[in-house]
Amino acid sequence: RPPRPPKQPKPFRAPRPARPAKPSGPVGRTGTPDEPYDQERGSRSGPADAPSSPRQDRAPRPLGRLLLAAVLLLLVGAVVYVLAFLPDSGQDSKAGGRGAHRPGSASAAPGGSPAPSGDGGGDRGGSTGAPQTSAPAGVAEGFEVRTDPEGFQVAVRKGWQRRGANNQGQVRYVGGDYELVVVPGRDTTARFGTDPMAYLQNKEAELAPYRSSGWASASGLQRIDVGKTAMAEGTFSWRDGSGREVYVRNLAMIHNGRYHLVLVIGPDRGRHEVDQLYTQATSAYRPG
């Protein structure tokens, strides 16, 4: 037989890459291929990767809540304090501050009934200035209403001494460093005009030391008209000849063509006492 030709070598083919097997579970959790990776990761991780790290991240939250709660409690406490205490202290500070004034404290009582009471006119001849047996409901404890021999009615502190009318037509009730001055109808509107505010500021003789003092202040000036009764009041401070600072509450009221004056004078340090004396005196005052 003729010899067979030699076989030609088959062309070389590159082997196909093997397909990776599909993992049966989450990578890194189960199966042997992921175990070395997990071991290597565990060896590299330190205490920072421990389960306590989330707790450390959440640690500032309780502290912030405590701070917020403390701030809210402080705000609530401040509001309660303002509502409970500041209204009273505000009035005292207004009454005690320099040039302070409480509007309407003196206008309601004298303006509400400007006509004289029946007892005031009937007891003019025989009254000795003793306290009345019946006092208005608005008189505070420690005060009494007196019907003065000059015909007017006013509330003063119990135990105060009365000094009769002087050459200026002033009736004084004195108690220590404080003094109540009443001028029942000395000046007329025919001579001094019918504007009680202008009279109070420029013509009233009792305020002459205020107008002539080198250091003086005034505040709370207002005019009050109730029916046909015109009034004006104000708060004044000045330094007298002895260097003492005085604090004065003053009311000027027109009644039957004459000016009736009610003043309370005291030291500057006793503003609250002056305000209380003034409120009681003007609320009970009835001209004669």
Side-chain angles (χ1 to χ4, degrees):
R1 294 180 184 180
R4 293 181 181 181
K7 294 182 180 181
Q8 298 294 330
K10 294 181 179 181
F12 176 78
R13 293 181 181 180
R16 294 181 181 180
R19 294 181 181 180
K22 294 183 180 181
S24 59
V27 178
R29 293 185 180 179
T30 59
T32 57
D34 296 333
E35 290 180 358
Y37 173 78
D38 293 340
Q39 293 176 0
E40 181 181 359
R41 183 182 178 186
S43 62
R44 291 183 181 179
S45 62
D49 297 333
S52 61
S53 58
R55 298 182 181 177
Q56 294 179 359
D57 296 339
R58 293 194 299 267
R61 294 183 181 178
L63 179 59
R65 293 176 182 174
L66 289 177
L67 291 176
L68 181 59
V71 172
L72 292 177
L73 288 176
L74 289 176
L75 290 177
V76 172
V79 171
V80 172
Y81 177 81
V82 169
L83 295 177
F85 298 100
L86 285 190
D88 294 335
S89 63
Q91 292 180 359
D92 293 340
S93 60
K94 289 181 181 179
R98 180 173 300 279
H101 174 67
R102 290 182 291 178
S105 61
S107 60
S113 56
S117 60
D119 295 339
D123 295 341
R124 174 177 292 189
S127 175
T128 60
Q132 285 188 344
T133 56
S134 61
V139 176
E141 183 179 359
F143 288 82
E144 60 187 7
V145 177
R146 297 187 183 182
T147 300
D148 195 87
E150 296 297 324
F152 62 85
Q153 175 181 293
V154 70
V156 299
R157 278 203 180 277
K158 294 181 180 180
W160 277 30
Q161 299 297 322
R162 178 187 181 275
R163 297 179 181 176
N166 54 22
N167 55 1
Q168 295 180 348
Q170 300 173 344
V171 178
R172 297 175 178 268
Y173 290 87
V174 181
D177 295 334
Y178 301 91
E179 186 175 10
L180 169 65
V181 180
V182 180
V183 183
R186 176 193 60 199
D187 300 329
T188 63
T189 55
R191 179 181 177 184
F192 293 96
T194 58
D195 186 359
M197 181 59 70
Y199 171 82
L200 188 75
Q201 293 179 296
N202 305 319
K203 301 176 182 179
E204 183 181 331
E206 282 67 27
L207 293 180
Y210 158 77
R211 291 187 287 269
S212 62
S213 176
W215 179 90
S217 64
S219 65
L221 296 171
Q222 64 174 348
R223 172 169 174 160
I224 308 163
D225 294 288
V226 181
K228 296 182 179 180
T229 303
M231 297 175 286
E233 66 175 356
T235 302
F236 303 88
S237 297
W238 67 81
R239 186 176 288 112
D240 59 13
S242 62
R244 184 188 68 157
E245 295 182 8
V246 297
Y247 177 72
V248 179
R249 298 290 300 274
N250 185 31
L251 171 72
M253 176 175 60
I254 298 176
H255 176 67
N256 292 338
R258 291 184 174 272
Y259 281 98
H260 291 253
L261 309 178
V262 179
L263 297 89
V264 178
I265 305 173
D268 187 76
R269 66 180 183 276
R271 289 171 176 252
H272 180 72
E273 178 68 13
V274 171
D275 291 333
Q276 186 178 16
L277 294 169
Y278 175 80
T279 301
Q280 296 300 317
T282 54
S283 63
Y285 181 75
R286 301 294 182 269

